[in-house]
Each structure stands twice: as C-alpha cells, then as structure tokens.
Amino acid sequence: MLEPLDRWETLRKLKELQERIAELAYRLTGEEPAAWTPRVDLLEDEEHYVLLVDLPGVRPEDLELLEEGSRITLAGVRHPLPGTYLLEERPMGTFRRTLDLPGPIEEGTAQAVLRQGVLEVRFRKKNGASLPLGQ
C-alpha cells in the first residue's frame, strides 16, 4: 500500500504526463486541447434526434454548435467563479465534443435550450426520398 506522500507524488507525476501529452497533441494538430469533455445522452423519436449535454455553470454565450452533415461539434468554455476554491470537482476550461448522429438531419433546423446546466439540442431528421417500385 502506498504511503500518503507517495500518492501525492504519483498524482503529480500523472498530471505532468497529462500536460506533456496535451502539449504534444497541440504540436501535432495545432489545436488547443480541451480541458474536459461534457457527458451526453442521445435520444431519438420519430421526427428528431435529441442531444442532452451536461454543462454545469456554462453560459449560453460561451457555447458554439456546428453542424456538418450528420456530424455535430459542440465547443465552449466554463469559467471559474470568483473566490478561492477549497474543493474543486467540477471541470473548468475549454471543452469540445464531436458526435456522429445515426442518420441525416435537415440542415439549419437545430433548436437549442440551456436549462439548469443541461443543454438540449433537437435536430429534425431528414426524410429519405421514397423509391418507386418496379412492376
């Protein structure tokens, strides 16, 4: 079993390794690494795909939603609150999440609402063209 000081040292080394990996990823892609990834649920009904995203403390003006075919990218930032954190378990900083919806959507029909830290985005499914049946 590790002694308490060894645990802290192990956690410090893991954090350093995480930072080095993020720096290498930035050098390779040129894209700032996300500090965290929000949790999501994806549901569907007959007419819509519904994306629910947990975004505690994120303001609507700090969100960006991009549709590319059936690929959806959500990005934004959660800012720290004023004051000194005595305990910090909720993530802060930038985030980015890309999802592929299971089918095509009607472009430009997304409707988003942010309520009590949960973002709900509804995408209207694209109706497929019916094929004529041969006789």
Side-chain angles (χ1 to χ4, degrees):
M1 188 164 164
L2 293 175
E3 296 296 318
L5 291 177
D6 290 338
R7 287 184 192 150
W8 290 114
E9 181 64 17
T10 301
L11 288 174
R12 186 186 65 73
K13 287 180 180 179
L14 284 172
K15 179 112 174 105
E16 285 177 6
L17 182 58
Q18 182 182 22
E19 289 170 358
R20 288 190 355 222
I21 291 170
E23 176 62 27
L24 287 172
Y26 176 70
R27 287 182 186 177
L28 288 171
T29 64
E31 200 172 289
E32 283 292 327
W36 61 288
T37 304
R39 303 246 183 217
V40 302
D41 289 334
L42 180 62
L43 303 120
E44 85 174 302
D45 60 29
E46 282 188 37
E47 297 180 9
H48 297 93
Y49 296 113
V50 180
L51 181 64
L52 302 171
V53 187
D54 287 342
L55 297 172
V58 175
R59 301 179 307 228
E61 60 268 21
D62 292 329
L63 290 173
E64 180 182 338
L65 182 67
L66 177 66
E67 306 175 15
E68 295 175 296
S70 61
R71 176 167 282 189
I72 306 303
T73 300
L74 178 67
V77 63
R78 179 174 177 256
H79 299 283
L81 298 172
T84 302
Y85 281 82
L86 302 175
L87 176 64
E88 182 182 336
E89 293 183 348
R90 298 184 312 158
M92 280 185 268
T94 60
F95 62 88
R96 184 175 196 83
R97 184 81 192 255
T98 300
L99 298 163
D100 289 312
L101 298 175
I105 59 172
E106 289 183 21
E107 203 171 305
T109 62
Q111 296 178 348
V113 176
L114 181 62
R115 271 181 288 207
Q116 298 178 340
V118 177
L119 176 67
E120 178 180 322
V121 187
R122 299 179 73 77
F123 303 95
R124 181 174 293 282
K125 292 179 181 179
K126 190 173 195 174
N127 294 330
S130 58
L131 299 174
L133 297 174
Q135 294 190 11

